[in-house]
């Protein structure tokens, strides 16, 4: 009996080997082998070169200079979101670190506390399941804090709040024993011994390419060369102010603001292969000297947002117009038969084979028993006999061609088709074109494209709203923009639920102060500055919910694309019943939905370790129970119908996506 069993095992093994023997080793196998060679047990003794993958192992990386010109591939929308989040965070930290110049000079600091940094990185990760980690790394002795008594104008030796997604399948708080992806490990990576292998600024750290992309900032000639951005602010009391601050490089500069790292193994931290987007954070240094001529703008930190490499799609198709030669190591590894088929990439596949389909070339057709192109996953798993005898397209024999000489339809034929489509015989223009049972596409587009700030005042408000499914597909197309609003809503929810300004700590540690007006203005402004598709964004607070304010609603917007001038207005100054945001339909809808019942909100758990003292030689557990918060998800938002913002700051067709609670909105074109 045992001989029979042994014989069957041998035959099975031979069958598995023979199944793929027709496939030659290619670049995918080499990259997969390099990834499998490194793990959390041996990464510390591996050569530094083995902790990185080739730079061209990630292709079609979003470029800020090309985002508004050419469409982004569907398999790169998540990388674009990583790009936008890192850019938005860099703009916010640059703004808030320099916003102290707006306020009167006092013997104190306006900087956010440590919990603000921690919860901000948590919100970056919790909003999108494709984001694996988010961090802010400061240069040595350049991070100021308001979290310790007597710490005015002093700096941390190192400060680097970082959040990465933890695998919580074995946590006791989850009885189901399944991974929820809603547990986050939060660490202060600056609370380590200096000049050791744990110091992220040291060369011994080995995987700190994200730090060396921009830091330390070495300026050899002029110190005032950092890019400036101008903000026009109008407060609730109708006072105006213009504030200019230094930020990351502009999109028109070379190099641009966003730098990408090679895929690297996150050794000793999340122990996964990651890809990071890195943007510099600017500040005025040194501070509070009393001599402004020796204070200069410099890059003091970097915003780093990382994505799991396994979630990034690869393009196995041959070189072509959308697959430039030399920029993709996986090019031409698809198994499509080039004689009769051509390769087309699919999205949502991640780092594995088969993310493509083999379509018939012009002049060829599928066999009668096939109803769709050959899937790459099936082609990759085929045996040699199946592959060489199948997956072909057949040559088309008789070709039906259109007539060479076009003739105008006769009157009976024309009337016959006009009777079948009365919306073209009795065509109407204007908003009435949208009210027909079957719309005339040409007249509808004439109405939409012909709308401008001059003729929009001729129509009623309800006539400027596009109902009837015009917004079909917008939820997916503008998903990244909705996540920007959701990220701010989640952060405010986390801060209000986790950070207690009345909490008393031992020693010199003090609790974070309540949210300030400048912080909310900066957060709202960063949404518009970080995503070029977003034209305006607002944070709307319920009555008496913001500190020392009855109403508060910072609204940021821009009036032209690719600009360095932005405007912020507190909509609390509007007091007419038809203008106040408390009476807006979308605000009332969300308020009624989330007035009493929060059970459907998601729970996000955090494992936080903060620095033990100001010097930060080591870390300690952040003792607070419960250490979680409830936040909204993407499906909890409310998409409005497209409308023309005739009386707004920038008249154009917009669609609004509010996220609860509090109510943060983004408006996209």
């Amino acid at each position: 009996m045992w001989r029979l069993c042994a014989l069957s095992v041998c035959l099975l093994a031979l069958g598995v080997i023979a199944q793929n023997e027709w496939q030659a080793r290619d670049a995918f196998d080499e990259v997969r082998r390099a990834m499998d060679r490194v793990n959390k047990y041996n990464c510390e003794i591996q050569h530094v070169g083995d902790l990185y993958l080739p730079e061209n192992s990630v292709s079609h990386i979003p470029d800020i200079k090309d985002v508004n010109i050419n469409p982004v591939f569907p398999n790169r929308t998540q990388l674009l979101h990583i790009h936008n989040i890192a850019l938005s965070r860099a703009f916010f930290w640059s703004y808030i670190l320099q916003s102290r110049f707006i306020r009167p000079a006092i013997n104190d600091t306006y900087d956010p506390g440590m919990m603000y940094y921690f919860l901000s990185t948590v919100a970056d990760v919790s909003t999108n399941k494709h984001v694996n980690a988010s961090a802010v790394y400061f240069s040595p002795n350049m991070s100021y804090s308001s979290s310790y008594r007597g710490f005015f104008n002093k700096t941390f030796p190192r400060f680097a709040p970082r959040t990465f997604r933890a695998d919580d399948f074995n946590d006791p708080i989850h009885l189901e024993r399944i991974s929820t992806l809603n547990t986050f490990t939060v660490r202060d990576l600056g609370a380590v011994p200096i000049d050791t292998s744990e110091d992220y600024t040291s060369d011994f750290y080995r995987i700190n390419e994200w730090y060396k992309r921009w830091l330390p900032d070495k300026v050899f000639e002029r110190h005032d060369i950092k890019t400036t951005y101008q903000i026009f602010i109008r407060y609730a009391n109708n006072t105006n102010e213009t504030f200019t601050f230094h930020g990351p490089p502009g999109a028109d500069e070379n190099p641009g603001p966003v730098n990408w790292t090679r895929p690297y193994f996150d050794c000793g931290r999340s122990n996964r292969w990651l890809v990071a987007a890195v943007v510099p954070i600017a500040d005025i240094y040194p501070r509070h000297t009393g001599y402004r001529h020796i204070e200069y703008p410099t890059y003091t930190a970097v915003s780093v947002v990382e994505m799991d490499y396994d979630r990034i799609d690869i393009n196995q198709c041959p070189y072509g117009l959308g697959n430039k030669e030399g920029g993709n190591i996986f090019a031409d590894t698809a198994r499509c038969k080039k004689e009769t088929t051509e390769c087309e990439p699919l999205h949502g596949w991640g780092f594995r084979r088969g993310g493509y389909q083999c379509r018939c070339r012009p002049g060829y057709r599928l066999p009668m028993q096939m109803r769709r192109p050959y899937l790459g996953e099936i082609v990759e798993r085929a045996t040699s006999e199946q592959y060489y005898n199948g997956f072909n397209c057949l040559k088309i024999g008789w070709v039906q061609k259109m007539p060479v000489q076009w003739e105008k339809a006769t009157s009976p034929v024309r009337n016959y088709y006009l009777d079948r489509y009365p919306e073209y015989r009795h065509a109407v223009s204007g908003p009435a074109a949208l009210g027909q049972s079957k719309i005339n596409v040409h007249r509808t587009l004439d109405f939409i494209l012909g709308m401008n700030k001059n003729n929009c005042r001729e129509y009623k408000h309800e006539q400027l709203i596009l109902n009837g499914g015009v917004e079909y597909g917008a939820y997916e197309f503008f998903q990244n923009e909705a996540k920007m609003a959701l990220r701010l809503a989640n952060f405010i929810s986390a801060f209000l639920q986790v950070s207690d300004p009345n909490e008393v700590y031992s020693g010199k540690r003090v609790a974070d102060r309540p949210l300030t007006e400048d912080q909310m203005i900066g957060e709202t402004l960063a949404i518009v500055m970080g995503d070029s598709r977003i034209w305006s964004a607002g944070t709307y607070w319920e009555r008496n919910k913001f500190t020392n304010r009855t109403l508060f609603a910072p609204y940021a917007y821009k009036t032209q694309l690719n600009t360095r001038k932005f405007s912020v207005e507190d909509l609390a100054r509007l007091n007419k019943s038809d203008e106040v945001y408390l009476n807006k339909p979308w605000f009332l809808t969300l308020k009624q939905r989330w007035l009493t019942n929060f059970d459907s909100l998601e729970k996000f758990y955090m494992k936080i370790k903060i620095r033990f003292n100001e010097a930060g030689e080591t870390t300690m557990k952040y003792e607070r129970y419960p250490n979680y918060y409830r936040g909204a998800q993407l499906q909890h938002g409310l998409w409005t119908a497209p409308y023309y913002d005739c009386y707004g700051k920038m008249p154009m067709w917009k669609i609004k996506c509010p996220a609860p609670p509090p109510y943060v909105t983004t408006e996209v074109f």
Side-chain angles (χ1 to χ4, degrees):
M1 183 66 183
W2 66 271
R3 293 181 180 178
L4 180 60
C5 294
L7 179 61
S8 64
V9 171
C10 294
L11 291 177
L12 178 62
L14 290 175
V16 172
I17 294 175
Q19 182 179 356
N20 295 322
E21 63 182 2
W22 61 275
Q23 297 180 357
R25 183 178 292 273
D26 54 21
F28 182 90
D29 298 309
E30 298 299 331
V31 173
R32 183 79 265 179
R33 185 178 179 182
M35 295 174 62
D36 296 339
R37 190 185 302 122
V38 183
N39 54 54
K40 63 180 180 180
Y41 303 107
N42 62 9
C43 65
E44 295 182 353
I45 60 175
Q46 292 281 354
H47 186 272
V48 63
D50 295 333
L51 299 178
Y52 291 94
L53 297 179
E55 191 167 0
N56 57 355
S57 59
V58 180
S59 62
H60 306 85
I61 294 179
D63 186 3
I64 193 172
K65 303 182 189 315
D66 195 53
V67 168
N68 295 324
I69 301 175
N70 296 319
V72 178
F73 294 120
N75 58 0
R76 287 298 178 265
T77 53
Q78 299 304 329
L79 275 179
L80 179 61
H81 181 66
I82 302 294
H83 172 284
N84 294 339
I85 284 290
L87 187 61
S88 173
R89 294 292 82 211
F91 275 120
F92 168 74
W93 294 116
S94 300
Y95 175 87
I96 202 63
L97 293 176
Q98 301 172 55
S99 64
R100 64 186 183 278
F101 296 117
I102 303 178
R103 303 304 172 194
I106 58 175
N107 194 21
D108 200 352
T109 179
Y110 293 103
D111 291 320
M114 288 194 298
M115 288 305 299
Y116 196 105
Y117 283 93
F118 290 139
L119 297 177
S120 177
T121 57
V122 170
D124 298 340
V125 183
S126 66
T127 305
N128 191 345
K129 295 187 182 299
H130 286 79
V131 179
N132 186 274
S134 176
V136 179
Y137 297 92
F138 278 89
S139 289
N141 297 307
M142 284 194 174
S143 56
Y144 297 85
S145 177
S146 59
S147 296
Y148 290 95
R149 295 187 184 91
F151 209 69
F152 171 71
N153 210 20
K154 294 182 180 179
T155 59
F156 290 143
R158 305 286 189 275
F159 185 51
R162 182 177 187 263
T163 297
F164 65 87
R165 198 181 303 275
D167 192 357
D168 57 353
F169 78 97
N170 204 26
D171 279 359
I173 58 177
H174 298 300
L175 301 179
E176 302 89 347
R177 291 296 185 265
I178 58 176
S179 181
T180 65
L181 299 180
N182 289 338
T183 302
F184 311 106
T185 302
V186 188
R187 297 285 186 273
D188 182 1
L189 300 184
V192 295
I194 299 176
D195 294 330
T196 62
S197 60
E198 298 180 347
D199 183 3
Y200 61 86
T201 66
S202 172
D203 292 335
F204 300 112
Y205 202 78
R206 304 203 301 169
I207 59 170
N208 55 354
E209 185 176 282
W210 28 260
Y211 178 83
K212 296 180 180 178
R213 289 287 184 177
W214 295 102
L215 300 177
D217 186 18
K218 298 178 181 178
V219 182
F220 300 101
E221 297 178 357
R222 296 181 56 180
H223 289 278
D224 57 346
I225 58 175
K226 296 296 182 288
T227 309
T228 58
Y229 299 87
Q230 199 171 52
I231 312 299
F232 303 96
I233 306 176
R234 187 174 187 179
Y235 296 101
N237 57 2
N238 284 322
T239 59
N240 301 326
E241 186 167 16
T242 301
F243 176 59
T244 302
F245 73 99
H246 300 272
D252 57 333
E253 298 184 51
N254 194 11
V258 183
N259 217 321
W260 295 87
T261 66
R262 295 175 292 171
Y264 67 96
F265 189 80
D266 196 27
C267 182
R269 306 194 295 179
S270 61
N271 294 314
R272 303 184 67 87
W273 288 94
L274 304 177
V275 177
V278 188
V279 185
I281 299 171
D283 192 9
I284 305 296
Y285 188 85
R287 290 189 179 184
H288 308 293
T289 62
Y291 304 95
R292 293 300 302 273
H293 63 282
I294 65 174
E295 299 176 2
Y296 60 93
T298 183
Y299 295 145
T300 61
V302 288
S303 172
V304 181
V305 182
E306 296 153 303
M307 181 177 178
D308 198 333
Y309 181 71
D310 284 336
R311 287 178 172 263
I312 301 178
D313 294 339
I314 60 175
N315 189 348
Q316 295 184 250
C317 295
Y319 293 119
L321 294 177
N323 195 11
K324 295 182 180 179
E325 188 171 355
N328 182 9
I329 194 176
F330 304 109
D332 207 11
T333 60
R335 310 295 184 186
C336 295
K337 294 187 175 181
K338 299 181 180 179
E339 297 80 10
T340 61
T341 63
E342 56 187 10
C343 177
E344 179 183 355
L346 303 176
H347 67 278
W349 225 256
F351 181 74
R352 61 188 180 101
R353 288 187 182 274
Y356 59 91
Q357 62 182 7
C358 302
R359 306 183 66 92
C360 292
R361 296 177 63 90
Y364 293 85
R365 63 172 176 83
L366 287 171
M368 297 298 295
Q369 67 272 18
M370 296 298 299
R371 296 192 176 185
R372 59 161 298 163
Y374 301 109
L375 286 178
E377 184 179 21
I378 298 177
V379 176
E380 297 280 352
R381 294 181 178 182
T383 63
S384 58
E385 181 180 358
Q386 291 173 333
Y387 179 75
Y388 290 115
N389 296 329
F391 306 110
N392 286 303
C393 287
L394 306 179
K395 190 173 182 59
I396 299 176
W398 296 95
V399 180
Q400 182 179 3
K401 294 185 177 180
M402 296 294 294
V404 177
Q405 182 177 358
W406 290 90
E407 296 182 358
K408 200 169 184 178
T410 60
S411 180
V413 174
R414 177 181 174 85
N415 291 331
Y416 170 75
Y417 283 101
L418 286 177
D419 290 338
R420 290 184 58 184
Y421 304 98
E423 64 271 12
Y424 284 89
R425 177 182 288 275
H426 308 288
V428 294
S429 59
L434 288 164
Q436 296 179 308
S437 58
K438 289 185 178 181
I439 65 172
N440 185 330
V441 177
H442 303 286
R443 300 288 79 79
T444 302
L445 291 178
D446 291 342
F447 168 68
I448 295 176
L449 300 178
M451 188 65 62
N452 55 57
K453 62 181 180 180
N454 297 321
N455 62 6
C456 68
R457 301 175 185 271
E458 302 174 3
Y459 301 96
K460 299 179 181 179
H461 173 71
E462 55 270 15
Q463 293 177 326
L464 298 178
I465 300 177
L466 305 181
N467 295 310
V470 178
E471 73 278 8
Y472 176 79
Y475 312 138
E476 182 178 1
F477 187 76
F478 294 122
Q479 187 179 106
N480 285 349
E481 286 67 39
K483 289 178 180 177
M484 299 288 281
L486 183 64
R487 184 239 156 242
L488 179 53
N490 274 3
F491 164 71
I492 298 176
S493 300
F495 193 88
L496 296 179
Q497 297 175 45
V498 176
S499 180
D500 185 2
N502 298 321
E503 195 165 359
V504 178
Y505 297 97
S506 61
K508 296 182 179 180
R509 171 81 190 280
V510 294
D512 278 30
R513 298 169 183 172
L515 296 173
T516 65
E517 183 181 29
D518 289 334
Q519 291 170 359
M520 290 298 95
I521 290 177
E523 291 281 5
T524 309
L525 181 66
I527 295 179
V528 182
M529 301 181 73
D531 193 327
S532 59
R533 280 183 179 176
I534 299 177
W535 283 84
S536 59
T539 306
Y540 302 87
W541 289 76
E542 180 58 279
R543 189 185 304 272
N544 296 323
K545 295 299 182 181
F546 193 75
T547 307
N548 298 327
R549 298 288 295 273
T550 303
L551 297 178
F552 183 53
Y555 177 80
Y557 63 95
K558 59 186 178 184
T559 56
Q560 64 181 19
L561 197 63
N562 301 326
T563 181
R564 296 184 185 177
K565 296 181 179 181
F566 301 85
S567 301
V568 180
E569 183 173 340
D570 189 354
L571 298 185
R573 70 179 187 83
L574 304 177
N575 52 16
K576 295 182 180 179
S577 58
D578 58 336
E579 294 180 345
V580 65
Y581 65 88
L582 295 177
N583 298 330
K584 297 296 182 181
W586 55 266
F587 189 92
L588 294 175
T589 302
L590 285 177
K591 180 180 177 180
Q592 293 168 3
R593 168 62 184 87
W594 302 101
L595 189 61
T596 56
N597 191 349
F598 295 91
D599 291 342
S600 60
L601 294 179
E602 193 73 24
K603 271 189 177 181
F604 298 102
Y605 294 87
M606 296 170 291
K607 300 177 180 179
I608 304 178
K609 281 193 175 182
I610 61 176
R611 57 180 55 227
F612 182 75
N613 53 16
E614 304 96 312
E617 293 90 355
T618 184
T619 59
M620 65 177 182
K621 184 178 179 181
Y622 178 64
E623 297 290 350
R624 189 182 192 278
Y625 182 82
N627 200 358
Y628 68 84
Y629 73 94
R630 290 183 179 271
Q633 292 183 306
L634 195 61
Q635 62 268 23
H636 295 149
L638 175 67
W639 290 86
T640 65
Y643 66 98
Y644 193 85
D645 192 10
C646 186
Y647 298 93
K649 303 300 180 182
M650 186 58 187
M652 61 169 53
W653 290 103
K654 296 179 180 178
I655 184 171
K656 188 191 297 286
C657 178
Y663 312 104
V664 183
T665 67
T666 57
E667 292 177 325
V668 293
F669 172 69

